[in-house]
Structure formats: structure tokens, C-alpha cells
Amino acid sequence: QVQLVESGGGSVQAGGSLRLSCAASGYTTSTDCMAWFRQAPGKEREGVAVTARDGTTRYADSVKGRFTISRDQDTLYLQMNTLKPEDTAIYYCAADIGHWLTLTPTDFRYWGQGTQVTVSS
């Protein structure tokens, strides 16, 4: 089994930055593909960014140029710059054994508990 634990969430003013971290433990060879999702109250979970072990990445159009996903061994990061109020959501870390890039929630089998990000205007 794979355990994912997010950290780094908090409250920030619009235009500010936050860096989220996701620590993976357990059978981490099953975390070839790792991603960040977010969910605002009353909304569906949406993909934010995804990366594979080869360093390839994919971003949602809404965050391109502002967010950067990266990984260091078994830790996943999401650097979020120029934050906007619409970025407010619970951010979830997810992982899967595959070597593909996808932003579909059902493609990921392992999930963290989420960390709250609140951006005030």
C-alpha cells in the first residue's frame, strides 16, 4: 500500500505563493505517476498538475505559468505562485503505478487526505 501525506497548505493573500509537499511512503515503486488535484466546496475534483518519474509534466490551463510540479525521490511538490482567490480549495496528492500523464481522478489509486489552501483578496 502507498500512503500519501500533504503539507504546506495555509492562508495567503492574492498574489502570494505557497509550496505544497506530499510525502509518499510504503510501496513507493507504485508511484510512477504523481499528481495534484483540488476541490472547492460544491465543485467536482479537478486535476491541477501531474508528473512522471521521467520528469514529464502536464498542467491544467488555469494554472499554467503559475504553478510548478516537481518531485524529489518520494516527495512531490507543488510550487504555487501568483495565487488567486479562485485557487482556494482543498488540494490532494495522488499517485498511480502507471507511466502516463493524466488529470482524471479515477486514474489514480492512491490519495492523500488533502490540505486546505485559502487565497484572500
Side-chain angles (χ1 to χ4, degrees):
Q1 190 63 263
V2 173
Q3 290 74 229
L4 303 174
V5 180
E6 303 95 336
S7 62
S11 182
V12 66
Q13 200 170 56
S17 299
L18 283 174
R19 191 190 194 196
L20 305 183
S21 298
C22 173
S25 60
Y27 194 61
T28 55
T29 53
S30 296
T31 60
D32 300 311
C33 188
M34 298 189 72
W36 289 99
F37 292 81
R38 66 186 182 186
Q39 188 167 24
K43 306 297 182 182
E44 291 188 348
R45 189 166 300 186
E46 64 174 344
V48 175
V50 60
T51 185
R53 290 194 190 276
D54 63 3
T56 54
T57 60
R58 179 187 173 193
Y59 296 89
D61 289 341
S62 60
V63 306
K64 286 181 180 177
R66 299 190 298 121
F67 291 9
T68 302
I69 189 171
S70 62
R71 64 188 299 171
D72 182 5
Q73 299 183 100
D74 294 324
T75 304
L76 181 73
Y77 303 96
L78 184 67
Q79 178 66 48
M80 304 185 293
N81 298 325
T82 319
L83 283 162
K84 305 174 180 179
E86 49 263 47
D87 294 319
T88 296
I90 299 175
Y91 283 71
Y92 297 91
C93 175
D96 198 80
I97 193 172
H99 293 270
W100 67 92
L101 298 178
T102 176
L103 289 173
T104 303
T106 54
D107 288 337
F108 292 83
R109 68 190 72 189
Y110 304 114
W111 291 85
Q113 290 294 304
T115 184
Q116 178 70 48
V117 171
T118 302
V119 184
S120 60
S121 60

